[in-house]
Amino acid sequence: MSTPGAFESTVERFGPPRHRSGRAILAGVDGSDTAMRAAAFAFGMARRESGRLIVAFVVCRTALTNLGPAVAATVEHDTTLQLYAELRDQIRETAEELEVPVSFLKTFGDPYTALRDTADRGQVDTVVVGASQKAGHRFAGSVATKLIKTGHWPVLVVP
C-alpha cells in the first residue's frame, strides 16, 4: 500500500468496529501540545461513553508558501507528510490500546470550516479542540471561539 501524499484527503479507521449507538466525538489535531491534550481528552470521553471518535487533521497552506513556490512547497509537503505519519501512528496505537473506534481524517483548508463541516457530516455530539497558543487570536478569534459561536454542538476547549 502506498503512502498518501501530503495534499491528498484521506480517512483511515483504527481500533474495534464502529459502534452504531453511542456518542460521536470530534477532535481537531495539528500536532501542538494543546491539540494533543485535546485528543487525549476526546479518547477518554469516547472510551467512557462507548462512543466513536473522529480525529481531524486539517492541513492549511502557510505563509512559507509565498516565499518561493518550489522550495516552500517542497518543505511544506515534507513537513506535512512527516507530521501526518507521526499523528497517524499515535492515533492508531491509542485506538488499539484503548479499544476505541476511530476515524482519522486528513483534510485541507481553513481549520474552522473543515472542523465545522466534519462535525456536521459526522453528526457529532461534541467537539474537542486545544486552546490556541497564538497571540493574534485574541483579536481575530481562535478556531475554538468560532466553533463555540456556531452553536451546533458543545465545544470543549482543552488548555
Side-chain angles (χ1 to χ4, degrees):
M1 181 175 156
S2 65
T3 303
F7 301 106
E8 178 183 338
S9 292
T10 61
V11 176
E12 298 181 71
R13 289 183 171 65
F14 306 119
R18 210 173 110 166
H19 302 292
R20 288 291 172 210
S21 61
R23 297 174 54 106
I25 300 159
L26 170 65
V29 296
D30 61 5
S32 68
D33 290 342
T34 58
M36 298 313 288
R37 285 193 293 270
F41 187 86
F43 263 107
M45 281 182 67
R47 183 177 185 197
R48 283 187 302 277
E49 298 176 12
S50 298
R52 63 186 172 92
L53 179 60
I54 301 168
V55 179
F57 172 53
V58 182
V59 179
C60 57
R61 294 254 181 225
T62 64
L64 184 63
T65 306
N66 297 330
L67 294 177
V71 174
T74 301
V75 170
E76 186 174 26
H77 181 268
D78 292 347
T79 303
T80 300
L81 276 178
Q82 182 179 356
L83 179 57
Y84 170 74
E86 290 171 8
L87 290 172
R88 180 185 177 277
D89 291 344
Q90 289 176 351
I91 298 298
R92 185 187 70 248
E93 289 170 12
T94 306
E96 291 169 359
E97 179 183 330
L98 298 179
E99 297 181 353
V100 172
V102 175
S103 296
F104 182 47
L105 167 70
K106 178 177 65 169
T107 189
F108 305 91
D110 170 59
Y112 161 72
T113 304
L115 291 174
R116 181 199 64 206
D117 293 349
T118 301
D120 285 342
R121 277 194 309 272
Q123 298 177 331
V124 303
D125 299 296
T126 306
V127 177
V128 183
V129 293
S132 175
Q133 297 176 316
K134 297 180 182 176
H137 286 168
R138 287 185 215 139
F139 304 106
S142 67
V143 171
T145 300
K146 292 174 184 176
L147 289 168
I148 291 167
K149 288 181 179 178
T150 300
H152 293 193
W153 353 255
V155 177
L156 298 172
V157 183
V158 178

